[in-house]
Amino acid sequence: MRARSQSWLIRTRHLLHEEREPPPLISHMMLIFSFLLILLSFPWCLFFCVKVVKEYQRAVIFRLGRLIKGGTKGPGLFFVLPCIDTMKIVDLRVLSFDVPPQEILSRDSVTVSVEAVIYFRVSNPVISVTNVNDAQFSTRLLAQTTLRNVLGTKTLSEMLSERDAIASISEKVLDEGTDPWGVKVERVEIKDIRLPHQLMRSMAAEAEAVRRARAAIIAAQGEKDASESLQTAADTIAQNKMTIQLRYLQTLTKISAQRNNTIVMPYPIEVAKHYMKKFHQKS
């Protein structure tokens, strides 16, 4: 595509730089007639011969169907010859348009609807007028086909996760395609990727199942960590008998902070066994 673009530029270079065939005699006669018409109708002809274009515009002027020297006029005030000069105003500002929703079949056979925004500007007014009938309309059509071709090589997951990369590739391909038309593509943005409702429900169910499985794994891991911590605490308490007494005092402190009237007093089993033995011996 780059080679094809360069060939177009080479073929249109003669419009401005190379020497062209001299105009026929009738062209000189019409030029003289135009000057005579200006002299006869002066100063009323100034209303038709003096033109003004704005800073962001250029006027591509054809004299008897051929580009004048330089190709364009403006910005500001300039003079045109009546009856033999025709001009077309070209806007050099950045323009934008929405690409209509495109039904695209992805590489993994999923149908999606994609919307995008294209920002472009005219970089060469002469070529945009001489090489293409309507540069803006042609850019719109090429943007649609380029978007379909680029997204058709991607899977659904790649479309959803690699929007910036897809926009960059589309911008590069579209810029190379519009280069022979004197159009420069500034930016391509993917607005929205719409999925079928049935596919959205399936993906939501799959995501919910994954979340539930992850929650179960986290809960099981928490139970495992808690049991290991309890085992470690039990081993630490078993090493010293006074540890249980300190733990008992901490428990009483927590209970008293909650303003409870009932306090459960633990009773050592060893003391109960001692008194039970004495009771059996007496009996």
Side-chain angles (χ1 to χ4, degrees):
M1 184 173 292
R2 184 180 299 276
R4 185 170 55 194
S5 172
Q6 293 176 354
S7 66
W8 270 91
L9 294 178
I10 292 173
R11 277 184 284 173
T12 55
R13 190 178 299 168
H14 72 278
L15 295 174
L16 299 177
H17 302 289
E18 296 181 357
E19 295 184 358
R20 294 176 290 178
E21 297 180 358
L25 179 60
I26 189 172
S27 298
H28 295 288
M29 296 175 59
M30 294 187 68
L31 184 62
I32 296 173
F33 174 76
S34 179
F35 280 112
L36 291 176
L37 184 62
I38 292 174
L39 293 176
L40 294 176
S41 60
F42 189 83
W44 294 278
C45 65
L46 295 178
F47 295 100
F48 305 96
C49 298
V50 177
K51 303 294 182 179
V52 178
V53 294
K54 298 179 181 178
E55 182 67 30
Y56 53 84
Q57 294 177 335
R58 296 294 183 273
V60 180
I61 300 178
F62 296 89
R63 181 163 296 165
L64 294 174
R66 306 181 70 177
L67 278 173
I68 64 172
K69 185 178 180 180
T72 61
K73 294 284 188 179
L77 189 70
F78 60 94
F79 190 83
V80 296
L81 298 178
C83 302
I84 63 173
D85 283 355
T86 57
M87 70 175 185
K88 183 174 182 180
I89 304 298
V90 179
D91 196 333
L92 301 183
R93 292 178 295 180
V94 175
L95 305 176
S96 62
F97 64 90
D98 292 329
V99 178
Q102 301 293 310
E103 296 291 336
I104 299 173
L105 183 65
S106 64
R107 194 173 64 183
D108 51 354
S109 301
V110 178
T111 303
V112 296
S113 178
V114 181
E115 297 180 9
V117 182
I118 310 296
Y119 299 88
F120 69 98
R121 62 179 176 85
V122 176
S123 60
N124 192 324
V126 175
I127 295 178
S128 67
V129 173
T130 58
N131 280 10
V132 63
N133 182 30
D134 190 341
Q136 296 186 15
F137 182 70
S138 301
T139 303
R140 292 171 185 267
L141 296 180
L142 184 61
Q144 297 179 19
T145 56
T146 300
L147 189 64
R148 296 174 68 92
N149 293 336
V150 172
L151 291 177
T153 61
K154 304 292 183 179
T155 62
L156 178 60
S157 59
E158 291 174 348
M159 291 183 188
L160 298 176
S161 62
E162 300 178 2
R163 288 193 178 188
D164 294 338
I166 293 174
S168 178
I169 296 173
S170 301
E171 177 184 346
K172 182 179 179 181
V173 175
L174 189 59
D175 186 36
E176 292 180 353
T178 57
D179 190 31
W181 304 337
V183 175
K184 171 66 177 177
V185 177
E186 296 286 344
R187 192 178 183 87
V188 176
E189 290 292 340
I190 304 298
K191 283 180 60 177
D192 189 17
I193 299 178
R194 298 180 181 178
L195 305 177
H197 294 289
Q198 185 176 1
L199 180 60
M200 293 176 62
R201 289 194 296 267
S202 301
M203 294 178 65
E206 181 182 359
E208 184 179 0
V210 171
R211 287 194 297 268
R212 288 181 178 179
R214 190 176 301 170
I217 293 174
I218 293 174
Q221 185 66 32
E223 292 291 340
K224 179 182 177 182
D225 295 341
S227 61
E228 291 178 353
S229 300
L230 288 175
Q231 182 180 1
T232 304
D235 295 338
T236 303
I237 292 175
Q239 294 177 1
N240 192 344
K241 295 182 179 181
M242 294 301 298
T243 306
I244 190 64
Q245 298 297 329
L246 295 175
R247 184 60 181 166
Y248 166 66
L249 295 176
Q250 291 177 355
T251 304
L252 289 180
T253 303
K254 292 182 179 179
I255 293 175
S256 61
Q258 297 176 0
R259 298 181 180 180
N260 290 329
N261 297 325
T262 302
I263 298 177
V264 179
M265 301 292 294
Y267 191 78
I269 299 298
E270 291 80 3
V271 177
K273 289 181 179 181
H274 177 71
Y275 285 106
M276 288 295 293
K277 288 181 180 179
K278 287 185 177 181
F279 178 75
H280 287 299
Q281 288 176 359
K282 290 181 180 180
S283 60

